[in-house]
Amino acid sequence: MKTIEETLKICKNENILTSYIQSKESEVVDILSFFMDQEEATQLMLEEERALARTQGREEGKEEGRSEGRAEGIAEGKFEGRIEQQEISIQTFAKQFKKMGISYEECLKALLEDYSDFDAEKLKSLVEKIY
């Protein structure tokens, strides 16, 4: 209400619609009150919508992050599982080669060829444990 009174005072001081305001002041106050109430209601509604949208956005972002994290974890686990399986295979072949009387050098050469995508130093270390 104070804003409306200040607005009317400014209009009177600036000689804006002075005669109309004086003759219909209560109607002008009602109209201004209505518009200000509407504006406040609109602002409150917009603020609530923004807050809701922010909350929903955060929740969607968190869920997306969790999904991506799970996917990365699964992929990493599968990768580590493959490496572990390759290590077991390398050790099994090295044991078989040793039982067959194949030298360390020949065993290492054959495994390096068959497991060319595997870390050569790690492969050498695994074979050395057997021999």
Side-chain angles (χ1 to χ4, degrees):
M1 192 66 167
K2 187 174 182 173
T3 305
I4 295 170
E5 290 172 1
E6 289 175 14
T7 302
L8 291 175
K9 185 178 178 182
I10 291 169
C11 287
K12 288 176 186 177
N13 290 342
E14 299 290 325
N15 203 20
I16 300 170
L17 299 170
T18 306
S19 61
Y20 183 80
I21 291 172
Q22 287 174 347
S23 67
K24 308 225 185 228
E25 189 166 345
S26 68
E27 290 176 331
V28 172
V29 168
D30 289 343
I31 291 170
L32 289 174
S33 294
F34 174 78
F35 285 121
M36 288 190 178
D37 288 345
Q38 286 295 102
E39 187 175 333
E40 284 180 28
T42 302
Q43 286 299 326
L44 286 173
M45 187 177 73
L46 287 173
E47 287 174 17
E48 289 173 5
E49 289 296 319
R50 283 187 199 118
L52 179 62
R54 250 191 314 276
T55 300
Q56 288 174 339
R58 284 186 184 121
E59 287 304 314
E60 289 174 11
K62 287 178 185 177
E63 183 55 38
E64 189 175 313
R66 283 191 287 270
S67 294
E68 287 177 7
R70 279 192 289 276
E72 287 177 16
I74 290 168
E76 188 175 318
K78 286 180 180 179
F79 178 75
E80 289 176 5
R82 281 193 297 269
I83 290 176
E84 216 172 277
Q85 186 58 45
Q86 284 181 325
E87 289 176 359
I88 291 169
S89 295
I90 289 167
Q91 289 174 326
T92 301
F93 281 120
K95 287 176 186 175
Q96 291 300 318
F97 287 152
K98 185 176 180 181
K99 281 183 185 177
M100 294 168 51
I102 296 173
S103 71
Y104 165 80
E105 291 78 18
E106 287 295 315
C107 172
L108 185 60
K109 180 180 175 187
L111 290 173
L112 283 170
E113 287 176 13
D114 287 347
Y115 291 90
S116 59
D117 60 332
F118 196 83
D119 180 309
E121 289 302 314
K122 179 70 175 169
L123 189 142
K124 185 177 178 182
S125 170
L126 292 170
V127 173
E128 283 175 352
K129 288 179 185 177
I130 304 301
Y131 277 82

